Amino acid sequence: MLKRLATSREALLLGAILVLLALISTRFPAFITPSNLVGVFNDTSPLILLALGQMIVILTKCIDLSVAANLALTGMVVALVNVAAPGVPVAVILLVAITLGTIMGMFNGLLVWKVQIPPIVVTLGTMTIYRGIIFLLSDGKWVNAHEMSPAFKAFPRMELLGLPMLSWFGILAVILFYFIMTRTTLGRAFYAVGGNPHAAVYAGINVGYTQFWAYTISGALSGLAGYLWVSRYAVAYVDLAGGFELEVVAACVIGGVSIAGGLGTVAGTLLGALFLGIVKNALPVINISPFWQLAISGAAIIIAVVFNARANRTKGRVILKSAEQTA
């Protein structure tokens, strides 16, 4: 059991992160100070939120390319609400953000479930629609820091037990998702639908309905991240988080979530997001050029995909050998 644990994807990824931190510390020792690592985790929290939502969508053999556009539209809406009514409590703003994100996620899920449109087509389309709606709402203008109320901007920075609220949202999401994926029927249904849809149907699981809930949860997390992102950086505009959806998918793949569905863990997704967060924060401080930053991130993704493919092949051979031995 210890051997299996030591050779697990999560253990290998954790080892890679520790090696990465050790290498970075040789060039920039201050990077591994506790205060800086807390800052890195805080910066990575929006990616953790979106990656957890993306994980359950991918587990069901789907993909959600509209998460960043959902984040941007939600962020713009709550920013405009705050400009129009600065006295609205942050709790109401959070409720509006999560509700709006959930509705957009439900829209994706309904198109995949009821209209039977391929997930990549649905989410590419809604990604464009959501960006277009942002332009219509804002007339292409930015909402800047001086237009937002102090309470709106302060919430993600408020500290509780030494950690900003943004970090606490990331931690709570990880705990909640671990419980859902390991202790609930819905969590097991996500794995069953992605692992073998036909067997899932015979087991009484509604494949489309399960995929609908995966998109709904992913949308809710995107909406929450929309407010947290806009309030933390104190700006909202049409191209907010442009291309971030690819980083979200990359965090899942690096964390061991199979793009074919049915395989992946919360711990792996968390580590995948942290790996990308560390790379993103470390490379600029050790004077790596932006070109090489992209190249290194891309190489990490390719290596992760190769690992995933090899792991899947190994699993298949073991099953066949067992069958032969039994015969």
PDB file of all heavy atoms in Angstrom, residues 296-321:
ATOM      1  N   ILE A 296       7.705  26.761 -21.161  1.00  0.00           N
ATOM      2  CA  ILE A 296       7.827  25.853 -20.007  1.00  0.00           C
ATOM      3  C   ILE A 296       6.451  25.356 -19.566  1.00  0.00           C
ATOM      4  O   ILE A 296       6.268  24.168 -19.272  1.00  0.00           O
ATOM      5  CB  ILE A 296       8.556  26.564 -18.849  1.00  0.00           C
ATOM      6  CG1 ILE A 296      10.025  26.800 -19.241  1.00  0.00           C
ATOM      7  CG2 ILE A 296       8.476  25.758 -17.566  1.00  0.00           C
ATOM      8  CD1 ILE A 296      10.785  27.693 -18.285  1.00  0.00           C
ATOM      9  N   SER A 297       5.472  26.264 -19.536  1.00  0.00           N
ATOM     10  CA  SER A 297       4.113  25.847 -19.168  1.00  0.00           C
ATOM     11  C   SER A 297       3.574  24.831 -20.171  1.00  0.00           C
ATOM     12  O   SER A 297       2.962  23.820 -19.793  1.00  0.00           O
ATOM     13  CB  SER A 297       3.180  27.060 -19.112  1.00  0.00           C
ATOM     14  OG  SER A 297       3.612  27.969 -18.133  1.00  0.00           O
ATOM     15  N   GLY A 298       3.814  25.078 -21.463  1.00  0.00           N
ATOM     16  CA  GLY A 298       3.360  24.148 -22.504  1.00  0.00           C
ATOM     17  C   GLY A 298       4.039  22.798 -22.388  1.00  0.00           C
ATOM     18  O   GLY A 298       3.391  21.751 -22.529  1.00  0.00           O
ATOM     19  N   ALA A 299       5.345  22.805 -22.075  1.00  0.00           N
ATOM     20  CA  ALA A 299       6.076  21.542 -21.925  1.00  0.00           C
ATOM     21  C   ALA A 299       5.526  20.743 -20.751  1.00  0.00           C
ATOM     22  O   ALA A 299       5.400  19.511 -20.825  1.00  0.00           O
ATOM     23  CB  ALA A 299       7.561  21.832 -21.718  1.00  0.00           C
ATOM     24  N   ALA A 300       5.182  21.444 -19.651  1.00  0.00           N
ATOM     25  CA  ALA A 300       4.610  20.754 -18.481  1.00  0.00           C
ATOM     26  C   ALA A 300       3.296  20.076 -18.838  1.00  0.00           C
ATOM     27  O   ALA A 300       3.022  18.950 -18.400  1.00  0.00           O
ATOM     28  CB  ALA A 300       4.406  21.748 -17.338  1.00  0.00           C
ATOM     29  N   ILE A 301       2.494  20.738 -19.662  1.00  0.00           N
ATOM     30  CA  ILE A 301       1.197  20.167 -20.058  1.00  0.00           C
ATOM     31  C   ILE A 301       1.406  18.922 -20.922  1.00  0.00           C
ATOM     32  O   ILE A 301       0.751  17.895 -20.733  1.00  0.00           O
ATOM     33  CB  ILE A 301       0.366  21.219 -20.819  1.00  0.00           C
ATOM     34  CG1 ILE A 301       0.006  22.371 -19.873  1.00  0.00           C
ATOM     35  CG2 ILE A 301      -0.893  20.599 -21.391  1.00  0.00           C
ATOM     36  CD1 ILE A 301      -0.523  23.589 -20.587  1.00  0.00           C
ATOM     37  N   ILE A 302       2.353  19.002 -21.884  1.00  0.00           N
ATOM     38  CA  ILE A 302       2.601  17.858 -22.765  1.00  0.00           C
ATOM     39  C   ILE A 302       3.104  16.666 -21.962  1.00  0.00           C
ATOM     40  O   ILE A 302       2.666  15.523 -22.157  1.00  0.00           O
ATOM     41  CB  ILE A 302       3.616  18.250 -23.863  1.00  0.00           C
ATOM     42  CG1 ILE A 302       2.977  19.264 -24.823  1.00  0.00           C
ATOM     43  CG2 ILE A 302       4.083  17.021 -24.632  1.00  0.00           C
ATOM     44  CD1 ILE A 302       3.934  19.851 -25.818  1.00  0.00           C
ATOM     45  N   ILE A 303       4.022  16.937 -21.028  1.00  0.00           N
ATOM     46  CA  ILE A 303       4.543  15.851 -20.187  1.00  0.00           C
ATOM     47  C   ILE A 303       3.412  15.213 -19.381  1.00  0.00           C
ATOM     48  O   ILE A 303       3.333  13.987 -19.241  1.00  0.00           O
ATOM     49  CB  ILE A 303       5.649  16.379 -19.254  1.00  0.00           C
ATOM     50  CG1 ILE A 303       6.876  16.769 -20.085  1.00  0.00           C
ATOM     51  CG2 ILE A 303       6.029  15.330 -18.209  1.00  0.00           C
ATOM     52  CD1 ILE A 303       7.918  17.534 -19.314  1.00  0.00           C
ATOM     53  N   ALA A 304       2.517  16.050 -18.871  1.00  0.00           N
ATOM     54  CA  ALA A 304       1.387  15.533 -18.083  1.00  0.00           C
ATOM     55  C   ALA A 304       0.479  14.658 -18.940  1.00  0.00           C
ATOM     56  O   ALA A 304       0.010  13.602 -18.486  1.00  0.00           O
ATOM     57  CB  ALA A 304       0.594  16.690 -17.495  1.00  0.00           C
ATOM     58  N   VAL A 305       0.227  15.075 -20.175  1.00  0.00           N
ATOM     59  CA  VAL A 305      -0.629  14.279 -21.065  1.00  0.00           C
ATOM     60  C   VAL A 305       0.022  12.934 -21.357  1.00  0.00           C
ATOM     61  O   VAL A 305      -0.646  11.890 -21.382  1.00  0.00           O
ATOM     62  CB  VAL A 305      -0.901  15.061 -22.377  1.00  0.00           C
ATOM     63  CG1 VAL A 305      -1.583  14.162 -23.404  1.00  0.00           C
ATOM     64  CG2 VAL A 305      -1.753  16.285 -22.100  1.00  0.00           C
ATOM     65  N   VAL A 306       1.351  12.946 -21.572  1.00  0.00           N
ATOM     66  CA  VAL A 306       2.066  11.687 -21.825  1.00  0.00           C
ATOM     67  C   VAL A 306       1.940  10.765 -20.618  1.00  0.00           C
ATOM     68  O   VAL A 306       1.674   9.565 -20.753  1.00  0.00           O
ATOM     69  CB  VAL A 306       3.549  11.978 -22.135  1.00  0.00           C
ATOM     70  CG1 VAL A 306       4.352  10.672 -22.172  1.00  0.00           C
ATOM     71  CG2 VAL A 306       3.675  12.715 -23.461  1.00  0.00           C
ATOM     72  N   PHE A 307       2.113  11.321 -19.410  1.00  0.00           N
ATOM     73  CA  PHE A 307       1.965  10.523 -18.189  1.00  0.00           C
ATOM     74  C   PHE A 307       0.563   9.932 -18.112  1.00  0.00           C
ATOM     75  O   PHE A 307       0.386   8.757 -17.767  1.00  0.00           O
ATOM     76  CB  PHE A 307       2.228  11.388 -16.952  1.00  0.00           C
ATOM     77  CG  PHE A 307       3.646  11.310 -16.468  1.00  0.00           C
ATOM     78  CD1 PHE A 307       4.555  12.297 -16.770  1.00  0.00           C
ATOM     79  CD2 PHE A 307       4.064  10.229 -15.714  1.00  0.00           C
ATOM     80  CE1 PHE A 307       5.863  12.222 -16.325  1.00  0.00           C
ATOM     81  CE2 PHE A 307       5.377  10.136 -15.265  1.00  0.00           C
ATOM     82  CZ  PHE A 307       6.281  11.136 -15.574  1.00  0.00           C
ATOM     83  N   ASN A 308      -0.446  10.749 -18.418  1.00  0.00           N
ATOM     84  CA  ASN A 308      -1.838  10.274 -18.361  1.00  0.00           C
ATOM     85  C   ASN A 308      -2.056   9.119 -19.323  1.00  0.00           C
ATOM     86  O   ASN A 308      -2.687   8.110 -18.992  1.00  0.00           O
ATOM     87  CB  ASN A 308      -2.800  11.411 -18.698  1.00  0.00           C
ATOM     88  CG  ASN A 308      -2.965  12.373 -17.548  1.00  0.00           C
ATOM     89  OD1 ASN A 308      -2.380  12.174 -16.493  1.00  0.00           O
ATOM     90  ND2 ASN A 308      -3.733  13.429 -17.742  1.00  0.00           N
ATOM     91  N   ALA A 309      -1.544   9.277 -20.560  1.00  0.00           N
ATOM     92  CA  ALA A 309      -1.735   8.247 -21.582  1.00  0.00           C
ATOM     93  C   ALA A 309      -1.070   6.949 -21.152  1.00  0.00           C
ATOM     94  O   ALA A 309      -1.637   5.859 -21.284  1.00  0.00           O
ATOM     95  CB  ALA A 309      -1.167   8.731 -22.913  1.00  0.00           C
ATOM     96  N   ARG A 310       0.150   7.049 -20.617  1.00  0.00           N
ATOM     97  CA  ARG A 310       0.871   5.844 -20.179  1.00  0.00           C
ATOM     98  C   ARG A 310       0.147   5.163 -19.017  1.00  0.00           C
ATOM     99  O   ARG A 310       0.064   3.939 -18.959  1.00  0.00           O
ATOM    100  CB  ARG A 310       2.297   6.194 -19.770  1.00  0.00           C
ATOM    101  CG  ARG A 310       3.185   6.554 -20.958  1.00  0.00           C
ATOM    102  CD  ARG A 310       4.560   6.978 -20.475  1.00  0.00           C
ATOM    103  NE  ARG A 310       5.242   5.908 -19.789  1.00  0.00           N
ATOM    104  CZ  ARG A 310       5.945   4.967 -20.373  1.00  0.00           C
ATOM    105  NH1 ARG A 310       6.052   4.976 -21.690  1.00  0.00           N
ATOM    106  NH2 ARG A 310       6.543   4.028 -19.687  1.00  0.00           N
ATOM    107  N   ALA A 311      -0.378   5.979 -18.098  1.00  0.00           N
ATOM    108  CA  ALA A 311      -1.102   5.418 -16.951  1.00  0.00           C
ATOM    109  C   ALA A 311      -2.331   4.652 -17.402  1.00  0.00           C
ATOM    110  O   ALA A 311      -2.622   3.555 -16.910  1.00  0.00           O
ATOM    111  CB  ALA A 311      -1.492   6.535 -15.988  1.00  0.00           C
ATOM    112  N   ASN A 312      -3.049   5.196 -18.395  1.00  0.00           N
ATOM    113  CA  ASN A 312      -4.254   4.530 -18.891  1.00  0.00           C
ATOM    114  C   ASN A 312      -3.928   3.211 -19.569  1.00  0.00           C
ATOM    115  O   ASN A 312      -4.622   2.218 -19.408  1.00  0.00           O
ATOM    116  CB  ASN A 312      -5.001   5.452 -19.863  1.00  0.00           C
ATOM    117  CG  ASN A 312      -5.593   6.645 -19.149  1.00  0.00           C
ATOM    118  OD1 ASN A 312      -5.754   6.619 -17.930  1.00  0.00           O
ATOM    119  ND2 ASN A 312      -5.900   7.679 -19.902  1.00  0.00           N
ATOM    120  N   ARG A 313      -2.802   3.209 -20.358  1.00  0.00           N
ATOM    121  CA  ARG A 313      -2.410   1.982 -21.046  1.00  0.00           C
ATOM    122  C   ARG A 313      -2.037   0.894 -20.041  1.00  0.00           C
ATOM    123  O   ARG A 313      -2.412  -0.241 -20.163  1.00  0.00           O
ATOM    124  CB  ARG A 313      -1.229   2.258 -21.980  1.00  0.00           C
ATOM    125  CG  ARG A 313      -1.619   2.931 -23.266  1.00  0.00           C
ATOM    126  CD  ARG A 313      -0.582   2.637 -24.341  1.00  0.00           C
ATOM    127  NE  ARG A 313       0.722   3.143 -23.963  1.00  0.00           N
ATOM    128  CZ  ARG A 313       1.156   4.346 -24.247  1.00  0.00           C
ATOM    129  NH1 ARG A 313       0.388   5.185 -24.928  1.00  0.00           N
ATOM    130  NH2 ARG A 313       2.353   4.744 -23.877  1.00  0.00           N
ATOM    131  N   THR A 314      -1.295   1.310 -18.996  1.00  0.00           N
ATOM    132  CA  THR A 314      -0.879   0.345 -17.977  1.00  0.00           C
ATOM    133  C   THR A 314      -2.076  -0.280 -17.297  1.00  0.00           C
ATOM    134  O   THR A 314      -2.133  -1.473 -17.077  1.00  0.00           O
ATOM    135  CB  THR A 314      -0.001   1.053 -16.923  1.00  0.00           C
ATOM    136  OG1 THR A 314       1.107   1.624 -17.597  1.00  0.00           O
ATOM    137  CG2 THR A 314       0.477   0.055 -15.876  1.00  0.00           C
ATOM    138  N   LYS A 315      -3.084   0.554 -17.016  1.00  0.00           N
ATOM    139  CA  LYS A 315      -4.278   0.035 -16.348  1.00  0.00           C
ATOM    140  C   LYS A 315      -4.977  -1.015 -17.198  1.00  0.00           C
ATOM    141  O   LYS A 315      -5.374  -2.072 -16.712  1.00  0.00           O
ATOM    142  CB  LYS A 315      -5.235   1.189 -16.041  1.00  0.00           C
ATOM    143  CG  LYS A 315      -6.356   0.816 -15.110  1.00  0.00           C
ATOM    144  CD  LYS A 315      -7.128   2.035 -14.718  1.00  0.00           C
ATOM    145  CE  LYS A 315      -8.213   1.656 -13.726  1.00  0.00           C
ATOM    146  NZ  LYS A 315      -8.985   2.820 -13.321  1.00  0.00           N
ATOM    147  N   GLY A 316      -5.044  -0.804 -18.520  1.00  0.00           N
ATOM    148  CA  GLY A 316      -5.707  -1.749 -19.399  1.00  0.00           C
ATOM    149  C   GLY A 316      -4.997  -3.082 -19.458  1.00  0.00           C
ATOM    150  O   GLY A 316      -5.607  -4.135 -19.402  1.00  0.00           O
ATOM    151  N   ARG A 317      -3.637  -3.036 -19.490  1.00  0.00           N
ATOM    152  CA  ARG A 317      -2.891  -4.284 -19.559  1.00  0.00           C
ATOM    153  C   ARG A 317      -3.079  -5.122 -18.294  1.00  0.00           C
ATOM    154  O   ARG A 317      -3.184  -6.327 -18.365  1.00  0.00           O
ATOM    155  CB  ARG A 317      -1.397  -3.963 -19.741  1.00  0.00           C
ATOM    156  CG  ARG A 317      -1.063  -3.517 -21.139  1.00  0.00           C
ATOM    157  CD  ARG A 317       0.352  -3.015 -21.212  1.00  0.00           C
ATOM    158  NE  ARG A 317       0.637  -2.431 -22.487  1.00  0.00           N
ATOM    159  CZ  ARG A 317       1.545  -1.496 -22.680  1.00  0.00           C
ATOM    160  NH1 ARG A 317       2.225  -1.020 -21.665  1.00  0.00           N
ATOM    161  NH2 ARG A 317       1.767  -1.008 -23.879  1.00  0.00           N
ATOM    162  N   VAL A 318      -3.122  -4.473 -17.160  1.00  0.00           N
ATOM    163  CA  VAL A 318      -3.287  -5.209 -15.909  1.00  0.00           C
ATOM    164  C   VAL A 318      -4.595  -5.980 -15.906  1.00  0.00           C
ATOM    165  O   VAL A 318      -4.653  -7.142 -15.516  1.00  0.00           O
ATOM    166  CB  VAL A 318      -3.243  -4.227 -14.707  1.00  0.00           C
ATOM    167  CG1 VAL A 318      -3.675  -4.945 -13.449  1.00  0.00           C
ATOM    168  CG2 VAL A 318      -1.828  -3.684 -14.536  1.00  0.00           C
ATOM    169  N   ILE A 319      -5.650  -5.357 -16.399  1.00  0.00           N
ATOM    170  CA  ILE A 319      -6.950  -6.020 -16.443  1.00  0.00           C
ATOM    171  C   ILE A 319      -6.895  -7.248 -17.354  1.00  0.00           C
ATOM    172  O   ILE A 319      -7.369  -8.331 -17.005  1.00  0.00           O
ATOM    173  CB  ILE A 319      -8.045  -5.040 -16.945  1.00  0.00           C
ATOM    174  CG1 ILE A 319      -8.234  -3.951 -15.902  1.00  0.00           C
ATOM    175  CG2 ILE A 319      -9.351  -5.754 -17.204  1.00  0.00           C
ATOM    176  CD1 ILE A 319      -9.083  -2.798 -16.382  1.00  0.00           C
ATOM    177  N   LEU A 320      -6.262  -7.111 -18.536  1.00  0.00           N
ATOM    178  CA  LEU A 320      -6.192  -8.227 -19.465  1.00  0.00           C
ATOM    179  C   LEU A 320      -5.379  -9.381 -18.885  1.00  0.00           C
ATOM    180  O   LEU A 320      -5.753 -10.539 -18.981  1.00  0.00           O
ATOM    181  CB  LEU A 320      -5.571  -7.751 -20.784  1.00  0.00           C
ATOM    182  CG  LEU A 320      -6.449  -6.822 -21.619  1.00  0.00           C
ATOM    183  CD1 LEU A 320      -5.685  -6.295 -22.815  1.00  0.00           C
ATOM    184  CD2 LEU A 320      -7.704  -7.562 -22.085  1.00  0.00           C
ATOM    185  N   LYS A 321      -4.242  -9.025 -18.226  1.00  0.00           N
ATOM    186  CA  LYS A 321      -3.421 -10.087 -17.643  1.00  0.00           C
ATOM    187  C   LYS A 321      -4.180 -10.836 -16.568  1.00  0.00           C
ATOM    188  O   LYS A 321      -4.114 -12.047 -16.479  1.00  0.00           O
ATOM    189  CB  LYS A 321      -2.135  -9.472 -17.056  1.00  0.00           C
ATOM    190  CG  LYS A 321      -1.110  -9.099 -18.126  1.00  0.00           C
ATOM    191  CD  LYS A 321       0.094  -8.443 -17.490  1.00  0.00           C
ATOM    192  CE  LYS A 321       1.108  -8.032 -18.554  1.00  0.00           C
ATOM    193  NZ  LYS A 321       2.220  -7.290 -17.964  1.00  0.00           N
TER     194      LYS A 321
END
